[in-house]
Each structure stands twice: as C-alpha cells, then as structure tokens.
Amino acid sequence: MKYSGIGGQAVIEGIMMMKGEDYAVAVRRPDKEIEVKKDTYQSITKKAKILQLPFVRGVFRFADSMIIGMRSLTYSASFFEDDEDAEPGKFEQFLDRVFGEKLESAIMAAVLVISFILAIGIFMLLPLGIANLFKGVITSDHLMAVLEGVIRIAIFIIYIKLVSRMEDIRRTFMYHGAEHKCINCVEHGHPLTVKYVRESSKEHKRCGTSFILIVMVISILMFMVIRVDTIWMRILSRIILVPVIAGISYEVLQCAGRSNSKFMDLVSRPGMWMQGLTTKEPDDSMIEVAIAATEAVFDWREYLTENFPGWEKQLEES
C-alpha cells in the first residue's frame, strides 16, 4: 500500500472524494445518470501555522471534515427533495428574512453545533453516567475507566446496528464501501476500473469509523490516568478533554494510514473490524459513482505510473 492523499465520504446516493483542496461530489440522480460537482475548500489549519502543529491540527481537520461533509450531504439531498415547487412555510420565510443569503450557512452551523452537543452527551457523558451507577461495586478507578470505555463502545455499536436497519442508511453504507474500495484499489497499484475496484477491500485504515474507535480507546487510557473526585469534575473533564483526545487520535490514525508496518497494522485492525458495521459491499452502479468522484479530483494514471511502474499490463490482461 502506498499513500495517495485521497479521502472521501459517502453521501445520499453518492460519494464525496477529496484530494488536497479539491473535492468532488458524485451523485446517482433519480434518472440514473451520474452528476458530478467539483469545488475547493481551504482547511481551517491554513489560517494560522499553530493550527498545523501535530496534536493541534487534528481537532480542526475534524471540523473540516464536518463542514465538507455537510456541504456534500446538502448537495446530494437536493436531487431527492420532495415538492420543490411547494410554498415555504412561515418559519422558513422567517428564517429567510433574518439570514437572507446566509441562511444555508446558518443552518449548517446550527446542525454542526447540535450534532457536536449530542455526540458529547451520548458518547461521552451517558457512558460516564451509566458507569457511575456501579461505583459502589467497583472501587478501582482504573476498572471504572475501562467500564466507561466499554459502555461507550457498546452504545456506538448499538447505535450503528439500529440506524443500519433503515434502507437509506444501508445504501449509504454500501456507498461507503465503494469509497474505500476505490482508494484501496489505486493505493495497491490497480487500475481504477469497476473490475479491480470490486476486487479491492471495503475496509481502509484511514476511515472515520477507525477514528471513532481510536478516540474511545485513547479516552480509556486518558481517564485511567486523570482522576477527579466528584461526578461534576468528571463531567467537566470529559468535555474539556475532547479536543485533546481528538488531537491524539488523529495523529494515531494518520500514522496507521500511512504505514505498512506490522505494528501499525495491528493498531489498525480493531478499527477495520468495526468498519464491518459501517461498510457494505456495493453494486457496480455504486462503484461507477465512486470512480466518477475519484477521477474528478485525482489523476490515478499519473499516480500509478509514478508509484507502480508497469501497471498498464493489468489493463491488457483484463
């Protein structure tokens, strides 16, 4: 595997792929044609050198992915909106008067803030509260930290299992698999064709699912070391340390995603197992969408020529 620098995300009936500051969203429209939109995005980390420092940049790169993800989701959803000609309601008219042209940005900001608050509540504070119920039985702070972490992972697994029952989410997980397959295909030296993408793995080291699992493991280790007496201080510590945990987790994920060492493969393995919940095998039509998004931002032929000389023989053989 050789690092390519491309990454992506599944959206509604499509995929977003990004390389550097360029990103493209490819969507399978209701008429079955593929629509591709290319745009640019400058990372928050480019605004100040201090934001590019290791263990600092991870928090802002995560914010970048949330912003681009929301933009891509909004674009993909626009192809499947119902009653486009319907009159806007009073609340929509009120928002339009207040925010004007900035309405979409305001809604996006509100969604990001609410999502962050819910994530903190469900995946950080709720496990703490449940674990605290066992405080009378478990006296060891180390065991309490482990219990809290196990509960956090269990909540995540249950959440994924529940949402995956929805048809739209199941299809999104299939597009997620197609995204990984495209990246794995080129990073392992194969031409970006439906045949070779289909044969590639749907698990990838740099996946956001792996990031979430790394966050949970790092949080266990950190809370085993950091001890506070009261429940309120524990709650405060969980909130304050989120950026620190995210920063460390980002560096671990990046190191694992760029390395072929056996140790980093071992570190990556639990996250790739977890991806079995968030990725499904795509059909060929989904792979075609993934290829369209990839080709819009990434010259895979030039990349293969530079990193895998002789790759053209695979096309001849196929």
Side-chain angles (χ1 to χ4, degrees):
M1 186 274 292
K2 292 188 178 180
Y3 178 71
S4 65
I6 55 174
Q9 174 185 318
V11 294
I12 299 172
E13 290 299 321
I15 287 171
M16 181 277 292
M17 285 291 192
M18 187 169 192
K19 168 71 172 174
E21 294 185 354
D22 296 324
Y23 73 95
V25 185
V27 180
R28 180 73 71 176
R29 299 185 322 219
D31 63 5
K32 305 306 178 183
E33 294 297 316
I34 299 176
E35 184 84 15
V36 180
K37 177 186 177 182
K38 185 177 178 181
D39 207 338
T40 60
Y41 174 82
Q42 187 176 65
S43 172
I44 299 172
T45 59
K46 296 293 181 66
K47 296 182 178 180
K49 287 187 176 181
I50 191 173
L51 303 183
Q52 300 174 27
L53 294 175
F55 303 104
V56 175
R57 60 188 177 183
V59 178
F60 299 97
R61 292 282 173 82
F62 178 71
D64 287 337
S65 66
M66 291 284 287
I67 293 170
I68 297 172
M70 282 298 301
R71 288 183 182 179
S72 303
L73 279 169
T74 302
Y75 174 73
S76 65
S78 68
F79 291 96
F80 305 94
E81 292 176 349
D82 296 326
D83 300 324
E84 292 183 0
D85 298 327
E87 287 293 323
K90 291 183 178 180
F91 183 63
E92 291 176 278
Q93 294 177 12
F94 168 75
L95 290 176
D96 191 50
R97 287 197 304 271
V98 173
F99 296 102
E101 295 180 355
K102 297 182 178 179
L103 177 59
E104 185 175 332
S105 298
I107 293 175
M108 188 181 301
V111 170
L112 289 174
V113 171
I114 293 171
S115 299
F116 180 76
I117 292 173
L118 287 174
I120 294 295
I122 295 172
F123 297 111
M124 296 302 287
L125 302 186
L126 180 58
L128 172 63
I130 296 175
N132 197 60
L133 298 175
F134 296 88
K135 192 175 180 181
V137 179
I138 302 175
T139 57
S140 169
D141 289 336
H142 289 149
L143 287 179
M144 284 293 289
V146 172
L147 176 62
E148 181 186 339
V150 170
I151 293 171
R152 186 172 293 118
I153 293 172
I155 290 174
F156 176 70
I157 292 174
I158 292 170
Y159 168 77
I160 294 297
K161 283 286 189 181
L162 289 175
V163 299
S164 64
R165 293 175 178 270
M166 302 168 60
E167 175 63 20
D168 289 343
I169 298 298
R170 187 182 66 81
R171 288 187 60 81
T172 301
F173 286 172
M174 292 171 72
Y175 275 105
H176 190 193
E179 172 226 327
H180 284 185
K181 281 175 170 284
C182 268
I183 298 173
N184 276 321
C185 181
V186 295
E187 290 189 337
H188 287 83
H190 304 302
L192 198 61
T193 64
V194 172
K195 174 184 180 296
Y196 283 104
V197 172
R198 191 191 309 115
E199 294 172 355
S200 299
S201 172
K202 66 180 180 66
E203 284 83 33
H204 195 277
K205 291 181 179 180
R206 299 195 305 275
C207 176
T209 305
S210 294
F211 174 77
I212 293 173
L213 184 61
I214 292 171
V215 164
M216 294 179 181
V217 173
I218 295 295
S219 67
I220 293 174
L221 298 176
M222 186 162 288
F223 296 141
M224 286 177 66
V225 176
I226 299 174
R227 305 179 188 179
V228 287
D229 295 329
T230 66
I231 184 64
W232 298 111
M233 286 300 295
R234 289 197 188 100
I235 292 173
L236 185 61
S237 68
R238 270 48 175 182
I239 297 173
I240 291 175
L241 290 174
V242 165
V244 178
I245 294 170
I248 296 172
S249 301
Y250 176 82
E251 300 303 327
V252 173
L253 183 71
Q254 287 298 301
C255 184
R258 295 168 185 252
S259 172
N260 287 316
S261 73
K262 291 184 178 180
F263 174 74
M264 294 314 300
D265 283 347
L266 193 63
V267 171
S268 303
R269 188 53 50 190
M272 295 178 76
W273 287 335
M274 188 72 78
Q275 289 174 42
L277 298 173
T278 60
T279 61
K280 303 297 180 185
E281 285 294 336
D283 58 35
D284 287 356
S285 69
M286 295 174 175
I287 292 174
E288 290 170 357
V289 174
I291 291 174
T294 304
E295 291 186 326
V297 294
F298 182 64
D299 188 343
W300 58 269
R301 292 175 179 83
E302 180 182 339
Y303 166 82
L304 290 182
T305 300
E306 181 180 344
N307 293 279
F308 299 94
W311 66 271
E312 296 90 345
K313 294 181 180 178
Q314 297 179 69
L315 288 178
E316 297 172 2
E317 294 171 356
S318 62

